[in-house]
Amino acid sequence: MLDIDYAVCFSEANCRLFTRLKKVFVLINLLAGSAAMTTLLSKNATIAAIAGIVVAMISMIDLVYDPGAAAAAHMRDKQAFLSLRSRYSRLSLEGGDSELAKIKMSATHGLQSLARPAHNENLRHHGRKEYLVELSRWEQLVKLFA
């Protein structure tokens, strides 16, 4: 059960992070696009060019990494793990482990920086605080955004 709950925590954290990244990209594109149009109409070519470059760069990053699709994939993984969790009591230990392995094989790869925060969250949820691991500063920062 701990393994399934960990997978749910990990998928959920990745889903939240990628959803927030997508929103940030959309916000930046909207602001930079508006700035480009406004400065273009006011005949300030330098600021319009800078805003245009920002829009192009954010659009390219969004196209290459596609955080919206990553968030959707992690949401599907979370749903698959939750489905297994609901059926787990009716399965044998080997059957449950086999089902978990099948889901993991097709699951989307998440950010490794969220692995230990998800581990700690799962242990807290199950009252096993004595097994918490210390997070690096980078993991704490990524956890903050997720």
Side-chain angles (χ1 to χ4, degrees):
M1 252 342 213
L2 278 173
D3 289 343
I4 295 170
D5 288 344
Y6 165 76
V8 169
C9 288
F10 185 65
S11 295
E12 186 176 335
N14 276 282
C15 182
R16 276 193 321 259
L17 179 67
F18 285 114
T19 299
R20 289 177 181 161
L21 278 175
K22 178 66 176 177
K23 289 178 181 178
V24 166
F25 287 170
V26 168
L27 178 65
I28 291 171
N29 270 338
L30 286 172
L31 294 175
S34 297
M37 289 305 297
T38 302
T39 54
L40 189 61
L41 294 175
S42 68
K43 307 227 190 285
N44 190 338
T46 306
I47 295 176
I50 292 170
I53 289 170
V54 169
V55 168
M57 286 176 37
I58 294 297
S59 295
M60 190 180 333
I61 291 169
D62 186 32
L63 180 67
V64 170
Y65 292 106
D66 200 1
H74 284 290
M75 180 57 74
R76 281 190 307 273
D77 293 345
K78 177 185 168 188
Q79 294 303 322
F81 291 123
L82 286 172
S83 175
L84 174 59
R85 188 173 195 266
S86 70
R87 297 179 283 119
Y88 193 77
S89 63
R90 296 185 301 267
L91 300 171
S92 66
L93 181 61
E94 293 81 18
D97 286 347
S98 174
E99 289 287 323
L100 180 59
K102 286 178 190 174
I103 295 171
K104 283 183 174 182
M105 282 188 338
S106 63
T108 305
H109 293 285
L111 293 177
Q112 195 60 37
S113 307
L114 289 172
R116 290 189 340 172
H119 171 79
N120 284 350
E121 182 181 333
N122 185 35
L123 290 176
R124 273 190 204 94
H125 177 73
H126 286 280
R128 309 294 295 269
K129 294 180 182 177
E130 65 274 12
Y131 296 107
L132 297 180
V133 293
E134 190 172 337
L135 303 179
S136 69
R137 288 191 178 143
W138 175 250
E139 289 168 331
Q140 291 172 4
L141 180 66
V142 173
K143 179 186 172 203
L144 179 69
F145 285 113

